[in-house]
Every structure is written in C-alpha cells, then in structure tokens.
Amino acid sequence: VPKNKSIFFMGIHSIAEQNIYSWETIEEMRKRPGNVMFGFPKTKAEYDDWYKKVYTNTEKACLKKVLKKYKGTDWEPIINERISELSK
C-alpha cells in the first residue's frame, strides 16, 4: 500500500469528461423546442446535489466490488475507510 497516497476514483470519468450531465448541457437541452426532460433537476443547486449523490453512490458501489478482491490485504482498511466517509 502506498504511504500518504489517496485512492482516486475514476468510475464515471467518461461522463464527467464529456460533460454529458453538465448543468450547461441540461440547460441547452431544456431550451430546445418540444424537448421534454424527465428526471433532471430544475435548478443549479438541485443539480449540484443530484450530481454529488450520483457520484458518491457510484464510487461506493465500485469500492464495494473492489473490496471483494482486496479483502484480507493492506488495501482493505483503506477501502473501508473511504466507504465509511462516503456513507456519512
């Protein structure tokens, strides 16, 4: 286990990088005539909360899967600590 190193989560990297769910993209989609959108937040504050929840839940799910592979190794307590942080 690397000393003084963080675990970096890259589970939704492609979504974040392509701005598929950026607030600006949602706003542009909303402006298109006749476009009906379901399940997307209506305000920037709602979007920020929604995105954080999606990101957090995805990271936790990935860590729980990884934990099965690294159970009994030096990584186990580090992974469990991060899962605990995300569960707060």
Side-chain angles (χ1 to χ4, degrees), residues 9 11-12 52-63:
F9 173 66
I12 58 174
K52 183 178 179 183
K53 183 178 179 182
V54 168
Y55 188 88
T56 298
N57 288 340
T58 303
E59 183 178 356
K60 273 197 311 191
C62 289
L63 285 171

Side-chain angles (χ1 to χ4, degrees), residues 22-69:
S22 72
W23 177 247
E24 292 75 19
T25 302
I26 292 170
E27 284 293 280
E28 284 302 313
M29 290 169 61
R30 217 178 241 123
K31 292 176 187 175
R32 294 181 192 151
N35 198 8
V36 178
M37 297 181 63
F38 296 99
F40 284 99
K42 293 186 178 6
T43 67
K44 177 75 165 95
E46 287 177 6
Y47 168 81
D48 290 340
D49 291 343
W50 171 81
Y51 190 82
K52 183 178 179 183
K53 183 178 179 182
V54 168
Y55 188 88
T56 298
N57 288 340
T58 303
E59 183 178 356
K60 273 197 311 191
C62 289
L63 285 171
K64 287 178 181 179
K65 287 181 183 178
V66 165
L67 185 58
K68 292 175 187 175
K69 183 173 183 172

